[in-house]
Amino acid sequence: MGSLGASNGANGVSEEPFLWDRSNLPKQLFINNEHVDSKNTKKLKVHNPKDGSLVADDIAVAGEDDVDAAVDAAEAAFPAWRKTSASQRRRLMLKLADLLEEHGDALAELTRITLGNPAASMSIFEIKYTAEAFRYFAGWTDKFPGETYPQDDGFLKIVRNEPLGVTAGITPWNCPLIFMGLKAGPALATANCFILKPTEKTPFASIAIGTLVRMAGFPPGVFQVLPGDGSTGALLASHMRIRKVSLTGSLTTGRKIQELAARSNLKRVTLELGGKSPAVIFDDCNLENAITWCVNGICGMTGQMCYAASRVYVQEGIYDKFVEGYKKAIEERSKSIGDPEEKGTMMGPLVDKIQHERVMGFMDRGLSQGTLLTGGSRVGDKGFFVQPTIFTNVAEDAEICKEEIFGPVAVLNSFKTEEEIIAKANDSNFGLMVGVFTQDITRAIRVSTEIDSGMVGINCVSITFLVAPFGGSKESGMGRENAINALRMYTEPKTVMVNLTY
Ligand code: NAD
C-alpha cells in the first residue's frame, strides 16, 4: 500500500486514516515515508499462538537492495534533520506518542494476533509504555547539551554531543513496540535517522508505525521500518554506512552482531540480551510482598521476559512457608491461562511452536534435574500454552538453573547465609537483574553492592523505569537503554578547543 496522500490538519497532524487491522495487515517495508514492496522475493510466515492458525505468509523480508535504499534515504534526510530545531523534533515525537495512544487498540491487536499477550494485561500496557518512552525522550531534545571545561590555560574546551547519522534498532518478539520506542526515542531525540528491523515473529504493529510516523509529520527518511528475519538484521549490522546498531535479543544474536559490527565499519553497538535473574528472599522479608513479585516475575508475559525472576532462593527459616504460598499463588495464576482476547485472561500462550517445543523440552529434562513442585505440562491440545512450572532442589550446575528458558519456568532453592547466596546469585554468566527481599535496609544495600548485576530491586524484581538506566552486566549485554545513558549510546562527543591566547 502506497502513500495515502497525507494532508496536514490544523494541528499539523495528518488527517489520513489509519487503516491497519487484522483484516488489513501491514506487510511491506516503510522507506522514505511510503509503504513499499520489497525487491526481495523471500517472505515471512506467522501464526496465531492461541490456536496455531496461519495469520500471514507474505510479509516482506528486506534484502540487500532494500537496506541500501533505506540507508540512502536516511543519509539524504540526515543533514536537514540534524539542523531541525530541538523544539520541532520534540513536537514530532510528542505527536507520534499521541498517535500511538489514539490507535492503541488497533496496534495492540496487531501484536496480539501473533504474540498472544492478553488484552487485559500486557497488550494495552505495551502501547502506553511505548508512548511514554517517546514523550520521555522528546523531553531530552534540548537537555543534552554537552560540557565546557575551564579556560584557565588559555584554551576553552567545548564538548558537543553530536548525532551519529544513520542508526538501526533490531527488536525481539516479546514487547516489540516497547523495544522500538527505547531505541527510536533516544536516536531521534539526538537527531539521528533511525531504521527499525522488527522481529520476524510479531512484526505487524512495528510495520504499521510507518503510517503514524508519516501522520506525525516526520520528514521522509528519518524513521524507516525494514521487516525481515536475521538475514535483514545481519545486513544492517554489517552495513558500511550505518553508524550504530542496537539489539534487544538473544546472546547468540548479540555475539553475531558484535562480530559483524567489528568486521565492517566498527559501528557502535548496544546489546540488551538475556538473563537468569535471581530473587533472593531473606527470613525477615514481607512474605506476601515477596511472593507477589516472584509470581509476577515469572508469569508476566508468560515468562517471556529478559528479566524474569527465574531463580528463586529462599532462606531456610521461611522456606516452607514461602513454598506453600508461592505454589498456591502460581496455581491460582494458572487458572487465568486462556484466550488472549478474553477479559479474564492474565496468561496467554508462548509465542510460537518453536518456543513451545523449547520450553517443553526444558520442562521435560527438568524432571531429572529437580523435584517438580507444580506445573510441568502443556495446557490444552491446540495453541502453545504451558503451565507455569516450578522445580525445587535443583543443583546449581543443572541446565534449568543455568540457561535462560524464556518461559514460565523457575527453580526454587533454599540457602543459609548471606555469603552463600551472594556466591550463588553471582554464579551465572548473566547479570541483568536481581531482587533482594528483606526489611533490613543495611543488608539490602550490602547485598545490592556485592551482586554483579546491572539492576537490583529491593523488595521488588523484574521492573524497569524510563528515567533510570536499563541493562545488564556480563553476558546480559553492553551499554544501557533508558535515562540519559540511552542518549550517550546514540551520540559521539566532539571536543572543540578554542585558542584564546592570541
Ligand atoms: P533473537 O536474538 O532470536 O532475535 C532478536 C532480533 O535479532 C530479531 O529481530 C532477529 O531477526 C534478529 N536477528 C537474528 N539473527 C540475527 C543476526 N545474525 N544479525 C542481526 N540480527 C539478527 O531474540 P528473540 O528470540 O526475538 O528474543 C528473545 C531474546 O531476547 C531472549 O534471549 C531475551 O532475554 C532477549 N531479550 C532481552 C531484553 C533486554 O532488554 N535485555 C528484553 C527482551 C528480550
Side-chain angles (χ1 to χ4, degrees):
M1 181 171 179
S3 166
L4 293 166
S7 67
N8 282 355
N11 58 0
V13 178
S14 156
E15 286 164 354
E16 73 172 283
F18 183 77
L19 297 173
W20 308 119
D21 60 26
R22 67 167 67 215
S23 64
N24 184 30
L25 296 167
K27 300 173 187 171
Q28 293 171 292
L29 320 178
F30 183 73
I31 297 179
N32 241 337
N33 274 7
E34 303 280 346
H35 277 108
V36 294
D37 288 332
S38 165
K39 297 190 178 85
N40 198 358
T41 53
K42 197 170 161 186
K43 301 287 176 201
L44 297 173
K45 193 191 255 194
V46 286
H47 295 87
N48 190 328
K50 76 174 187 180
D51 55 12
S53 60
L54 181 70
V55 174
D57 59 3
D58 54 353
I59 305 163
V61 173
E64 197 168 352
D65 290 344
D66 303 308
V67 171
D68 283 343
V71 174
D72 286 347
E75 279 191 335
F78 180 60
W81 177 241
R82 73 177 301 183
K83 287 186 187 137
T84 301
S85 69
S87 61
Q88 171 64 359
R89 275 185 282 120
R90 179 169 57 240
R91 267 196 295 274
L92 295 175
M93 291 177 71
L94 292 175
K95 274 182 209 164
L96 182 57
D98 289 347
L99 287 165
L100 275 160
E101 283 186 339
E102 205 176 299
H103 300 286
D105 289 343
L107 289 166
E109 190 181 24
L110 287 176
T111 295
R112 198 160 58 241
I113 51 174
T114 54
L115 177 56
N117 49 341
S121 54
M122 282 307 290
S123 193
I124 294 294
F125 169 81
E126 184 187 12
I127 308 298
K128 289 190 183 306
Y129 196 91
T130 307
E132 280 309 298
F134 278 107
R135 291 194 182 107
Y136 172 75
F137 286 110
W140 272 110
T141 53
D142 56 2
K143 297 177 191 67
F144 190 51
E147 307 96 43
T148 61
Y149 290 94
Q151 59 197 55
D152 52 321
D153 53 7
F155 290 82
L156 174 64
K157 299 91 179 171
I158 304 166
V159 182
R160 291 204 303 251
N161 297 318
E162 301 215 331
L164 297 169
V166 184
T167 63
I170 302 177
T171 51
W173 42 265
N174 56 344
C175 285
L177 286 192
I178 289 182
F179 296 116
M180 177 271 293
L182 298 187
K183 297 177 195 315
L188 299 171
T190 48
N192 293 282
C193 291
F194 180 76
I195 299 173
L196 170 69
K197 203 301 277 177
T199 163
E200 58 271 49
K201 297 192 181 194
T202 58
F204 294 127
S206 304
I207 303 175
I209 288 295
T211 303
L212 302 185
V213 165
R214 183 172 59 224
M215 285 164 84
F218 281 90
V222 168
F223 187 161
Q224 305 177 94
V225 187
L226 295 180
D229 54 15
S231 67
T232 308
L235 286 168
L236 294 169
S238 54
H239 204 283
M240 291 302 289
R241 289 181 288 137
I242 292 179
R243 297 284 301 272
K244 195 230 156 63
V245 64
S246 171
L247 165 80
T248 298
S250 62
L251 175 57
T252 310
T253 304
R255 284 192 205 285
K256 286 184 190 158
I257 286 182
Q258 177 81 322
E259 200 177 320
L260 291 170
R263 285 186 193 282
S264 54
N265 60 347
L266 218 59
K267 59 178 63 60
R268 305 300 181 249
V269 175
T270 301
L271 301 175
E272 294 294 347
L273 309 176
K276 192 74 185 176
S277 298
V280 177
I281 324 284
F282 286 97
D283 280 344
D284 68 343
C285 75
N286 177 315
L287 189 63
E288 205 180 314
N289 178 62
I291 288 171
T292 302
W293 282 97
C294 288
V295 171
N296 290 337
I298 197 64
C299 294
M301 287 296 300
T302 314
Q304 302 164 110
M305 298 190 293
C306 51
Y307 56 17
S310 54
R311 291 191 288 153
V312 180
Y313 294 101
V314 185
Q315 205 165 14
E316 278 182 339
I318 55 158
Y319 182 74
D320 291 343
K321 267 192 181 163
F322 184 92
V323 170
E324 191 189 330
Y326 186 50
K327 178 172 185 287
K328 196 170 155 212
I330 290 273
E331 288 171 354
E332 194 54 38
R333 185 63 64 87
S334 279
K335 293 179 191 160
S336 72
I337 297 174
D339 184 335
E341 312 290 339
E342 300 290 331
K343 267 196 172 143
T345 300
M346 292 295 286
M347 275 185 85
L350 293 164
V351 71
D352 64 5
K353 190 165 187 276
I354 298 172
Q355 189 63 7
H356 192 246
E357 282 170 3
R358 192 181 126 81
V359 173
M360 290 294 300
F362 276 108
M363 287 179 1
D364 291 345
R365 293 190 298 281
L367 294 173
S368 61
Q369 297 168 24
T371 309
L372 182 67
L373 178 70
T374 185
S377 305
R378 74 174 293 162
V379 175
D381 55 7
K382 64 175 182 177
F384 309 122
F385 296 89
V386 290
Q387 290 178 317
T389 298
I390 310 298
F391 290 99
T392 57
N393 305 313
V394 182
E396 286 299 307
D397 60 356
E399 178 200 51
I400 54 169
C401 202
K402 284 277 169 234
E403 283 192 33
E404 182 183 45
I405 298 175
F406 220 57
V409 182
V411 295
L412 171 59
N413 280 330
S414 67
F415 71 93
K416 285 191 174 65
T417 66
E418 192 178 308
E419 247 180 10
E420 174 197 348
I421 194 51
I422 288 168
K424 282 184 174 167
N426 281 338
D427 184 19
S428 169
N429 291 345
F430 294 114
L432 190 57
M433 163 145 265
V434 57
V436 183
F437 293 84
T438 174
Q439 302 204 50
D440 176 347
I441 188 65
T442 313
R443 170 155 63 192
I445 297 294
R446 195 168 56 231
V447 173
S448 76
T449 311
E450 294 298 324
I451 293 186
D452 188 352
S453 172
M455 298 175 289
V456 181
I458 295 178
N459 295 317
C460 58
V461 71
S462 314
I463 186 170
T464 171
F465 297 94
L466 286 167
V467 298
F470 181 94
S473 63
K474 300 190 270 184
E475 292 180 2
S476 286
M478 238 175 47
R480 291 291 182 271
E481 291 194 317
N482 296 359
I484 194 172
N485 304 65
L487 307 177
R488 296 187 185 123
M489 304 285 134
Y490 288 89
T491 48
E492 201 80 70
K494 178 182 280 178
T495 307
V496 179
M497 290 147 286
V498 186
N499 182 353
L500 303 171
T501 61
Y502 72 96

